[in-house]
Amino acid sequence: ARAFDRLRTPCPAPDLNDVGNRFSSLKSRAESAHFVLFHDAEDAEASARLEVLERVLEGFQATFAAYGIELDPPAEKQVGAFFRHRHDYETLLKRVGAGAFLTTLGYYHPTERWVATADARDHPTRRAEEQWIANRSGEIRRLRELCERMPATGRLRIVLPGEGTVVMDRAQARTQLRAFESEHQRRVLLHEVDSVAANLGTASHESIHQLIAVTGLAPRFDAFPHWLHEGLAAQFEDMRMAGHRLDE
């Protein structure tokens, strides 16, 4: 209970002039009780990210409190940045000498103690998936139009995955259309959920690196071995994006 009591009072923001220059391409800024987020996203998305970070902070404090370890609350709001465009994220990494992290979705600066994350939706693999979804949507729309114009005695050739070309009557074609639509809706939903999970998982992961330092658990980044930093951060991810590194 004490761990949560100490988090009820919002902390002040640090001097944002220098770090604001780091994120000069981001024109918006949002704040919560313990975090500041520079961003170029919709306000609702920025607010959702801050809500997740506040829950991560509470969970982090509560986890150690359960083992009898009372961590300090952050003395200042922790600073992060969210880039919708991956190019801007990569430009920042190059500017601060972190080119080794160009393939990641998130980066924690161990001496300046800020976090930068890139929108998973702008990753090349994600963009390729979105293009496939758009193409598939067009195919289904054209099939729907054909089914609507098809006479009762008509026949339609449809290419089925793994089966080749199949000739169907109108009833069969409409049944197949519904199957295509259902499967496509499922894939679109999974794509959207996975993108959100990747973004929030990255934000959670990187914020743990900040909290390890500012709560007194390991004030110096090299006080913990690398594997322990990463292990703790991984414990607080909402979900890891399969196939991509969140952090190195």
Side-chain angles (χ1 to χ4, degrees):
R2 185 183 172 195
F4 287 103
D5 289 340
R6 299 173 73 188
L7 294 177
R8 288 177 179 168
T9 302
C11 53
D15 183 348
L16 298 174
N17 289 328
D18 289 341
V19 73
N21 292 332
R22 290 287 195 202
F23 310 134
S24 58
S25 66
L26 302 176
K27 304 306 181 185
S28 298
R29 191 178 83 199
E31 297 188 24
S32 62
H34 302 95
F35 295 91
V36 177
L37 181 67
F38 292 84
H39 67 93
D40 54 1
E42 297 293 332
D43 290 342
E45 184 173 6
S47 296
R49 292 176 71 86
L50 289 171
E51 289 177 11
V52 167
L53 294 178
E54 291 291 342
R55 292 200 299 270
V56 168
L57 171 59
E58 292 176 359
F60 185 76
Q61 295 273 358
T63 296
F64 284 94
Y67 290 96
I69 302 172
E70 290 286 342
L71 298 176
D72 295 329
E76 296 180 327
K77 294 184 180 183
Q78 299 306 293
V79 178
F82 176 55
F83 294 88
R84 290 184 64 190
H85 304 291
R86 185 168 188 85
H87 171 75
D88 295 335
Y89 170 73
E90 293 175 351
T91 298
L92 170 68
L93 295 187
K94 292 175 183 176
R95 194 163 63 239
V96 299
F101 294 84
L102 290 178
T103 60
T104 65
L105 292 176
Y107 173 72
Y108 166 65
H109 198 294
T111 56
E112 297 182 12
R113 292 183 176 177
W114 47 258
V115 160
T117 58
D119 194 336
R121 292 166 295 192
D122 199 37
H123 191 280
T125 302
R126 298 274 166 170
R127 291 200 303 270
E129 172 73 5
E130 290 181 355
Q131 185 59 56
W132 186 94
I133 287 173
N135 293 340
R136 187 62 168 170
S137 296
E139 293 172 355
I140 291 174
R141 183 178 62 254
R142 289 189 291 273
L143 177 58
R144 187 183 305 114
E145 293 170 353
L146 289 172
C147 287
E148 290 172 354
R149 298 198 306 265
M150 191 175 177
T153 58
R155 294 289 186 271
L156 188 63
R157 290 186 176 88
I158 298 178
V159 178
L160 298 178
E163 299 183 33
T165 301
V166 178
V167 178
M168 297 182 177
D169 60 26
R170 187 171 67 176
Q172 291 171 326
R174 290 179 174 178
T175 298
Q176 186 60 59
L177 172 62
R178 288 193 292 271
F180 283 154
E181 289 174 331
S182 178
E183 172 60 24
H184 189 59
Q185 290 170 358
R186 183 190 70 83
R187 183 156 182 172
V188 170
L189 177 60
L190 289 176
H191 175 75
E192 293 174 351
V193 168
D194 196 38
S195 295
V196 171
N199 278 337
L200 296 183
T202 304
S204 301
H205 179 108
E206 301 301 338
S207 72
I208 292 299
H209 292 311
Q210 287 179 311
L211 297 178
I212 288 173
V214 302
T215 59
L217 186 61
R220 292 194 346 267
F221 190 75
D222 59 358
F224 273 10
H226 182 74
W227 62 265
L228 187 53
H229 266 283
E230 292 305 321
L232 280 172
Q235 290 298 313
F236 287 87
E237 292 172 16
D238 293 326
M239 195 177 297
R240 181 175 292 273
M241 183 172 72
H244 300 299
R245 301 179 334 184
L246 293 186
D247 187 56
E248 277 290 318

